[in-house]
Amino acid sequence: MFVIQNALKSIARSKGRNILIGIIVLAIAISSCVALAIKNAAAESEAAGLSAVKISGSIAVDRQKLLEAVSSSAGTDEDGSMDMGSMQEIMAQYPDLALDELLGYADSDFVEDFHYSETVSLSGTDDFVAYGAEEAAEAATGDEGNMRTGGFGGGQFGGEPVPIFGNNGMSMGDFSITGYSSESAMTEFVSGAAKITEGELFDMDSSDLSCLISEELAAINGLAIGDSFSLSNPSNEDEIYTFAVTGIYAGGDTGETGGGPQFSTAQDPANLICISYPAAASIVSNSESVGTSVTDIQGYERSSALSGQLAATFVFDNKADYDSFAEELGERGLSDYYTLSSSDISSYEASLVPLENLSGFATTLLLIVLAIGAVILIVVNIFNIRERKYEVGVLTAIGIKKGKVAMQFVTELLCVTLIAVILGAGIGAAISVPISNQLLASQIEQMQTQSQEQNQNFGRPGDFSQDEGPVQSGNGSFPGTIMLNAARTDAGYIDQINATVSPAILGELIGIGLLLTLLSSLAAVVFVLRYEPLKILANRT
Amino acid sequence: MNTGENSMSLLKLENVGYRYDSGNKILNGLDYTFEKGKMYAVTGKSGAGKTTLLSLISGLASPTEGSILFEGKDIKTIDRYHYRSRYVGVVFQQFNLLPHLNAVENVTLSMRASGKKFPDRQKRAMDMLSKVDLDENIVRRRILKLSGGEQQRVAIARALSYDPSIILADEPTGNLDLNTQKDIVDIFKRMAKDEGKCVIIVTHSPEVAKESDEIYELAPFSGKAAALG
Ligand SMILES: Nc1ncnc2c1ncn2[C@@H]1O[C@H](COP(=O)(O)OP(=O)(O)OP(=O)(O)O)[C@@H](O)[C@H]1O
Ligand SMILES: [Mg+2]
């Protein structure tokens, strides 16, 4: 009580000194408050972002890892170059997982849903042509240079379909026929990007060749609900499949993914034909049974049978389940060369980059402010205490213990500091949201300028980054519910944070205030404890 | 030995000597006793070590030789802050008042520091200040704006305010005119006679010395005396 009373009286007496200290602490408190609010908001966005959101993931061979393993093993020649034979051999040991293996893993308690699709590529027939086929043909004949892209996809050459080979030597047709295991596998329809406008969905469990076609295909081929059309195996014109149209859809992926040049009409979303998984499976098994040996344009012997591309997706309730499942895969004996990955997670992580940068900046700012603040406060306090030397002498001479005198000085500083910290928290709370968003905006701008420059270096148009961003659209369905605490730019960056001052931050600030006070008054305490009253009084002139 | 209440002196110096850190020895072999209810005068030339002696008695410094007993206990062994704040009232030669406080605040600060309970601290402080002839107008002024004599009287009021059993005064009348000097000496005398305090006054004035019950003449330490001639 005695100490506190003296401290308060002393504060009131020396206003100038205390206002100076107050202003210093206020500046420290405001900047610390903003920095803490930013750090906190960034951490919250990171933590909250994926914790309560469904995540889809898939298992794939980790080629990078495999490559590393091959190059570090005996697979290198004496000149250091890769031995392609052994490379392919090892690659062959780790094929994409088959459906029944995937189904086995999907049994896991962590997996909320599992869906898959199989895509085969078929060619048009006289009565059914692909959307955009003429343009592709024109491009192919008009520009000789384009011919070289043939290795990647299909096209028409001189009006006749020419089998062109994909990555695995498989021939590509003009159409993608995708068989879905369930409605949830039809992500475009789930997200609302695509919509059935006429007719209805085919029977998911039936292997009948009933299908949904796009409005564009229906229009150019003059098809209506109930009509049917035929497609053929690109490698075997006589292998014909006839499909019945049960529905027509609009929308779908509008082909802007990546914005790059299109290599094949089959990649045009308008040429996507949706069927059930059993139907797709029946096409593949039928094709296998009738397959013959053919020679491709590169002179290799191979089967004419169609092969399907399996795409399987595991859906998890939240990030924790996703992580647990990834762990479980290893426990269940899946080789390290297969990894579970999720575009939801990678795109979310990419969207956090500016926020993380900002958070790092905030941490640096906080440390610098605290260091400078502490030094200033210590210096100011040492000057103060020298001025108050005589006071210390008198107080101790009239019998007040040194500890109490030191306590009084610390209390004085503490009161001033606390008031300044609380004031600073108030001001900080008011300005932390606009300031942090401003900082975030400049951070994003900087990143966009960077990627823009990068694009220009690669000879791509500069403004590319605007639609591309760091988020590869992939399956395109980034869950909108993620933004609990944050909003995102077109480029997918989080550009709004809710940098509010919570009680926790207030607590941290008060902690910082206490720490600074104790640190800077240490000088005062040492001084008071070291001197004898007699000496102080004797030295006075 | 001395066990009876009457025979135990309040304060007893036993062969006390003091040497400053710098090496010059000021006091040597002092054997003084101070009783309750008496006024003592300590005299001696300037530089004889009178102020030094008071510092030792008030516990601001410790004797380098011998010991000082307060109520039979060596003050080295007791809490000297506690001792100083409750049992000893000092009127310092340099007053040692807090310049930014006014007279009343200076007095009440010491009263609070003593930890003793007073029914009305403000009133007691005012009473003490009016006893040393300081009026209302002066006691509300900051110490900085008081004359030397006024400051000296504030220092006296402060030393008496918390009812200590020993009152030490270092030339308490040095800055005062003869009339005021007489009033102050009367106050100290009454403190000893009526309230049973032990009053020790350092003074150069023969009039003041004459009023006291006993005079201790502090001879300069022999070594130094020889040097002085
Ligand atoms: N801190 C110190 N260090 C060394 N010597 C000191 C110190 N303080 C005082 N002295 C010396 O001790 C001697 C006694 O000093 P003291 O103040 O006790 O004298 P005094 O009798 O009170 O004199 P005065 O009548 O002038 O007040 C002096 O010679 C002084 O120079
Ligand atoms: Mg003296």
Side-chain angles (χ1 to χ4, degrees), chain A residues 172-215:
Chain A
M172 293 271 280
D174 308 320
F175 298 94
S176 290
I177 292 81
T178 303
Y180 297 98
S181 66
S182 65
E183 286 180 16
S184 56
M186 302 173 75
T187 50
E188 305 278 291
F189 291 86
V190 172
S191 71
K195 201 172 164 184
I196 296 175
T197 50
E198 252 180 87
E200 57 186 16
L201 190 60
F202 44 82
D203 180 356
M204 279 280 161
D205 301 320
S206 155
S207 59
D208 292 349
L209 299 184
S210 322
C211 66
L212 291 180
I213 60 172
S214 69
E215 277 179 334

Side-chain angles (χ1 to χ4, degrees), chain B residues 49 66 70 78 86 99 124 161 164 167 178 188 217 220-221 227:
Chain B
F70 171 68
I78 60 177
R86 294 179 74 92
R124 185 175 165 93
S161 66
I167 293 162
L178 278 177
F188 281 127
E217 165 100 42
F221 177 52

Side-chain angles (χ1 to χ4, degrees), chain B residues 40-55:
Chain B
Y40 299 86
V42 176
T43 59
K45 284 185 183 143
S46 176
K50 304 181 293 294
T51 301
T52 307
L53 175 65
L54 292 193
S55 302

Side-chain angles (χ1 to χ4, degrees), chain A residues 333-355:
Chain A
L334 183 64
S335 155
D336 276 354
Y337 294 120
Y338 292 93
T339 51
L340 179 65
S341 64
S342 164
S343 64
D344 291 343
I345 292 175
S346 51
S347 63
Y348 186 71
E349 279 167 358
S351 75
L352 284 176
V353 169
L355 195 56

Side-chain angles (χ1 to χ4, degrees), chain A residues 2-305:
Chain A
F2 175 73
V3 165
I4 293 171
Q5 269 182 21
N6 275 3
L8 293 180
K9 278 185 188 166
S10 177
I11 291 171
R13 256 198 322 273
S14 36
K15 290 188 194 72
R17 178 179 68 213
N18 289 308
I19 286 171
L20 173 70
I21 295 178
I23 287 172
I24 296 169
V25 176
L26 189 68
I28 297 173
I30 293 173
S31 28
S32 306
C33 184
V34 172
L36 282 174
I38 290 173
K39 273 171 67 72
N40 196 53
E44 256 174 35
S45 300
E46 249 163 274
L50 288 175
S51 64
V53 156
K54 287 201 176 177
I55 291 170
S56 353
S58 54
I59 299 176
V61 180
D62 189 339
R63 285 179 210 282
Q64 188 70 32
K65 217 171 184 178
L66 209 53
L67 257 164
E68 276 164 23
V70 170
S71 57
S72 67
S73 75
T76 42
D77 291 340
E78 54 283 352
D79 62 351
S81 72
M82 199 89 73
D83 175 353
M84 287 313 287
S86 73
M87 179 72 210
Q88 263 168 358
E89 224 168 81
I90 289 174
M91 289 291 196
Q93 282 175 21
Y94 299 98
D96 288 337
L97 294 183
L99 182 59
D100 36 347
E101 271 178 280
L102 291 168
L103 280 167
Y105 293 125
D107 260 356
S108 165
D109 288 343
F110 299 117
V111 176
E112 204 258 336
D113 187 21
F114 175 68
H115 55 74
Y116 47 94
S117 65
E118 178 139 39
T119 302
V120 292
S121 186
L122 292 177
S123 291
T125 53
D126 292 342
D127 65 332
F128 194 71
V129 296
Y131 177 75
E134 280 100 81
E135 287 167 42
E138 265 164 39
T141 47
D143 181 6
E144 288 286 314
N146 239 12
M147 285 302 294
R148 269 175 277 144
T149 64
F152 290 101
Q156 281 184 320
F157 184 63
E160 287 291 315
V162 172
I164 310 263
F165 303 96
N167 291 347
N168 45 7
M170 194 189 82
S171 39
M172 293 271 280
D174 308 320
F175 298 94
S176 290
I177 292 81
T178 303
Y180 297 98
S181 66
S182 65
E183 286 180 16
S184 56
M186 302 173 75
T187 50
E188 305 278 291
F189 291 86
V190 172
S191 71
K195 201 172 164 184
I196 296 175
T197 50
E198 252 180 87
E200 57 186 16
L201 190 60
F202 44 82
D203 180 356
M204 279 280 161
D205 301 320
S206 155
S207 59
D208 292 349
L209 299 184
S210 322
C211 66
L212 291 180
I213 60 172
S214 69
E215 277 179 334
E216 293 90 337
L217 270 188
I220 61 166
N221 290 295
L223 289 173
I225 307 294
D227 289 352
S228 55
F229 60 90
S230 303
L231 297 175
S232 67
N233 181 340
S235 308
N236 181 3
E237 266 182 70
D238 300 330
E239 192 183 325
I240 304 273
Y241 298 94
T242 304
F243 297 84
V245 178
T246 64
I248 292 171
Y249 70 87
D253 195 333
T254 45
E256 280 168 17
T257 45
Q262 223 160 332
F263 297 122
S264 155
T265 50
Q267 286 178 333
D268 191 318
N271 292 328
L272 173 71
I273 296 168
C274 306
I275 58 175
S276 71
Y277 179 79
S282 79
I283 292 175
V284 173
S285 64
N286 176 68
S287 185
E288 268 164 14
S289 63
V290 303
T292 55
S293 190
V294 293
T295 308
D296 67 23
I297 53 166
Q298 284 164 320
Y300 289 114
E301 283 280 308
R302 48 173 211 89
S303 166
S304 69

